[in-house]
Amino acid sequence: MDSTPFPILFDEAPEQWRWPAPPFGWRKVSLPDDSAAQPCRIETRQGTTIEGDLLSIDGPAQTLRFRTSSLGAPVTLAFSRFRRLTLTTPLRPAMQPGGAEERVPAAAQEREYRLHLSDTGEPMTGHTAGHVETSEGLFLFLPVEEERSVQRIFVPRSAYIACEFGPSAEEAASKLWVGTPEDLLAAIERQPRAPVLPIGQALLNLGLLTQDQLDRFLARPPADLPLGEALVRNGTITRSDLNTALAYKMGYPLVDLARFPIDAAAVEKLPTRVILLARSLPLMIDRERLIVAVDKPARVDKLRSMHVFTQQTVVVPVLASKGQLVLALGRIQQHDVWSQSVSLRPGFFATTT
């Protein structure tokens, strides 16, 4: 008879439910412990709202525990009983060196949403900086306090039947960027005669600023600084963003790398290490000209020395967004083993001029 004892089985504790983090790069303070009580507002399926504390969420069971006051008895509420849950204490940004706050990247992330509800003909609308959709429902992130913080919203899946999202300011602006070689050559020819844009309009066209942000600043213009400098000091844009906008307002064409057909022969004109170190992307060859995209005009001086590596006598700079340029250079780096020692991390580019 086998005397081997039966193994002792242990039930693993279920993983604690976590509220999703905002789906974009943003240095924030540590997320609150989801097991702690959090002030919230619940909108019922009838449209009434109830203030109280969220005690916990059980995702698999599709329920939450809630109380209306610190002394109130907890109640369990099924997801099917409410339309929207809002955590009323916003997420705060982490303080950066020098005491600056990192704002929510509204121009790149904020967009309108429209939810078609399952119990009413009126859609639910609003703004969100990114979203996360799971089997439980839709998690939204509303920028508040002039993009200094984010308010978290949850809409149960049972509350809506479809969701739609509009473009961000950056995506809307990119439709106006140059997308074909013919249009790029025409824009280069127009550059000497291009009108000088106001800096606010340049930032809008680049997708670095939302219309709401611009309107807010113009309503309360700073007395001691130009608009661009005030936006940098405020943290709404970076110094690099402002420099790019200053070049764009002077007529530099802006290329949409997501649509532009990059000429492989142009890329092959330069060694990959030179492309990465100069943070520049050859786009096309036009007779004696090599047209190269950069994300800021400070790189133009490096471009002027590129003719040493090419048979072209003139290197013509145009602009591209930083995000698109990094993605394109990353694809080039992946195909060149000798470039692997050149980092594409933002920290590398931040110190490369």
Side-chain angles (χ1 to χ4, degrees):
M1 180 177 179
D2 189 355
S3 60
T4 303
F6 286 106
I8 300 175
L9 301 179
F10 295 94
D11 290 332
E12 292 186 2
E15 185 176 348
Q16 180 183 340
W17 186 90
R18 298 292 298 174
W19 196 289
F24 52 84
W26 181 55
R27 288 179 286 267
K28 56 191 174 299
V29 297
S30 299
L31 291 172
D33 186 346
D34 288 318
S35 64
Q38 299 187 64
C40 71
R41 180 172 57 252
I42 292 177
E43 180 182 339
T44 69
R45 300 295 285 264
Q46 291 73 38
T48 59
T49 58
I50 306 170
E51 303 278 344
D53 293 324
L54 173 67
L55 301 179
S56 64
I57 286 183
D58 187 337
Q62 304 279 291
T63 61
L64 61 78
R65 293 178 67 246
F66 170 82
R67 67 187 179 197
T68 55
S69 69
S70 59
L71 300 178
V75 297
T76 298
L77 189 65
F79 286 179
S80 59
R81 299 279 303 279
F82 66 92
R83 184 181 295 164
R84 174 166 43 188
L85 165 68
T86 302
L87 299 185
T88 53
T89 300
L91 291 180
R92 306 288 182 184
M95 297 302 294
Q96 304 304 306
E101 290 181 335
E102 182 176 5
R103 292 181 181 248
V104 175
Q109 298 293 338
E110 186 176 357
R111 64 194 70 233
E112 293 184 357
Y113 67 84
R114 177 183 294 268
L115 301 184
H116 299 275
L117 302 179
S118 57
D119 59 358
T120 177
E122 291 296 323
M124 180 189 298
T125 60
H127 288 251
T128 183
H131 67 278
V132 175
E133 190 168 19
T134 70
S135 60
E136 297 149 356
L138 187 65
F139 297 86
L140 304 168
F141 305 90
L142 172 66
V144 294
E145 300 173 345
E146 298 187 352
E147 298 87 39
R148 289 186 177 89
S149 306
V150 165
Q151 196 167 60
R152 294 176 290 169
I153 299 170
F154 169 60
V155 181
R157 184 167 290 277
S158 58
Y160 67 97
I161 55 177
C163 55
E164 301 169 0
F165 297 90
S168 67
E170 183 180 273
E171 291 166 346
S174 69
K175 296 178 181 179
L176 305 176
W177 302 349
V178 176
T180 67
E182 295 77 16
D183 288 345
L184 180 55
L185 292 177
I188 291 172
E189 296 306 315
R190 291 195 304 269
Q191 183 177 349
R193 305 183 302 276
V196 178
L197 294 174
I199 191 63
Q201 187 62 51
L203 288 164
L204 288 177
N205 290 1
L206 288 165
L208 297 173
L209 196 68
T210 69
Q211 186 66 56
D212 286 345
Q213 288 173 323
L214 179 59
D215 291 344
R216 191 167 64 229
F217 264 84
L218 293 179
R220 306 192 305 268
D224 58 336
L225 285 175
L227 175 63
E229 292 293 339
L231 288 166
V232 172
R233 185 174 69 176
N234 179 267
T236 302
I237 63 173
T238 66
R239 173 65 58 184
S240 177
D241 291 338
L242 178 58
N243 290 337
T244 300
L246 290 172
Y248 176 73
K249 70 173 287 188
M250 300 306 296
Y252 278 85
L254 181 64
V255 178
D256 182 4
L257 298 183
R259 293 186 290 130
F260 193 91
I262 298 171
D263 185 356
V267 176
E268 292 170 358
K269 284 287 184 179
L270 294 173
T272 302
R273 287 181 60 84
V274 172
I275 290 175
L276 297 177
L277 287 170
R279 195 172 174 176
S280 58
L281 179 63
L283 298 178
M284 61 179 293
I285 298 170
D286 178 52
R287 297 187 298 274
E288 77 283 359
R289 300 187 298 183
L290 178 65
I291 301 173
V292 181
V294 294
D295 65 331
K296 62 181 182 180
R299 307 195 190 281
V300 171
D301 289 339
K302 285 192 175 183
L303 295 183
R304 293 195 177 101
S305 64
M306 285 186 177
H307 70 274
V308 175
F309 299 96
T310 72
Q311 297 178 355
Q312 267 59 40
T313 58
V314 179
V315 176
V316 179
V318 296
L319 295 175
S321 77
K322 178 179 178 180
Q324 288 188 348
L325 192 60
V326 168
L327 288 175
L329 294 179
R331 289 193 291 268
I332 291 175
Q333 186 183 34
Q334 289 173 359
H335 290 86
D336 189 286
V337 66
W338 299 106
S339 68
Q340 296 306 308
S341 61
V342 180
S343 172
L344 280 171
R345 293 176 300 177
F348 165 77
F349 282 138
T351 58
T352 305
T353 58

